[in-house]
């Protein structure tokens, strides 16, 4: 008989309970790590969608410049990434290049430090899509 077999038969009453406790704990820890990674990924996807990042990137890349006056500013009560305040903003948009003025609304993630820059009456640099009138803020919000 080899040494392990002798040792196991002699101390089986210690080894079996330890294995029963340790093995499920190891499996649980591994699954918890995998779950935490998935949750963090999903949170980043939700934050990106809540902040309108994809739409904003497209409008900033292809849109026309404009200056807007903030007409209304309301806290939505939601936060993104635990820091940024999601604020519903209503603008009077004055496009450059002869486009007609229009009103538009946007929910934007704004840092508490920059919140005063988006108070009613303030001017904000934007970019807009001339066809759909979708807008994106073209100045620091964070």
């Amino acid at each position: 008989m080899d040494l392990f077999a002798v040792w196991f038969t002699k101390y089986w009453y210690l080894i079996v309970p330890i294995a029963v406790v340790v093995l499920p704990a190891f499996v649980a820890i591994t699954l918890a790590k995998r779950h935490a990674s998935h949750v963090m990924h999903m949170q980043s996807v939700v934050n990106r969608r809540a902040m309108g990042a994809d739409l904003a990137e497209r409008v900033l890349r292809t849109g026309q410049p404009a200056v807007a006056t903030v007409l209304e500013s309301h806290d939505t009560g939601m936060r993104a990434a635990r820091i940024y305040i999601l604020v519903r903003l209503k603008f009077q948009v004055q496009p450059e290049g002869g486009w007609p003025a229009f009103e538009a609304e946007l929910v934007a993630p704004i840092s508490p430090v920059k919140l005063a820059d988006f108070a009613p009456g303030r001017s904000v640099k934007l970019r807009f899509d001339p066809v759909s009138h979708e807008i994106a803020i073209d100045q620091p919000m964070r």
Side-chain angles (χ1 to χ4, degrees):
M1 244 176 157
D2 76 359
L3 186 59
F4 177 75
V6 171
W7 187 81
F8 184 78
T9 54
K10 190 173 181 181
Y11 296 107
W12 69 269
Y13 59 91
L14 294 174
I15 296 170
V16 171
I18 290 172
V20 167
V21 170
V22 170
L23 188 60
F26 176 74
V27 170
I29 289 169
T30 304
L31 290 176
K33 284 181 182 178
R34 188 173 297 160
H35 178 71
S37 172
H38 180 71
V39 167
M40 288 172 42
H41 170 72
M42 290 307 296
Q43 183 64 44
S44 70
V45 168
V46 167
N47 280 343
R48 229 175 126 64
R49 186 168 292 153
M51 291 191 284
D54 296 334
L55 172 66
E57 287 172 4
R58 182 183 61 78
V59 173
L60 286 172
R61 190 175 58 250
T62 63
Q64 301 294 318
V67 176
T69 303
V70 179
L71 300 175
E72 297 176 17
S73 175
H74 301 284
D75 185 350
T76 63
M78 297 188 315
R79 302 294 181 261
R82 297 184 185 169
I83 299 170
Y84 304 107
I85 301 168
L86 290 178
V87 179
R88 180 173 308 282
L89 298 163
K90 185 174 182 180
F91 295 105
Q92 176 66 38
V93 182
Q94 299 292 326
E96 296 175 6
W99 296 93
F102 62 93
E103 286 188 5
E105 285 192 15
L106 174 70
V107 174
I110 301 175
S111 169
V113 174
K114 296 285 187 178
L115 206 52
D117 293 345
F118 298 92
R122 300 294 299 258
S123 291
V124 177
K125 287 194 251 177
L126 301 176
R127 287 203 168 271
F128 76 101
D129 183 338
V131 176
S132 65
H133 286 186
E134 293 170 331
I135 60 173
I137 298 172
D138 194 17
Q139 71 182 42
M141 296 183 294
R142 300 176 185 170

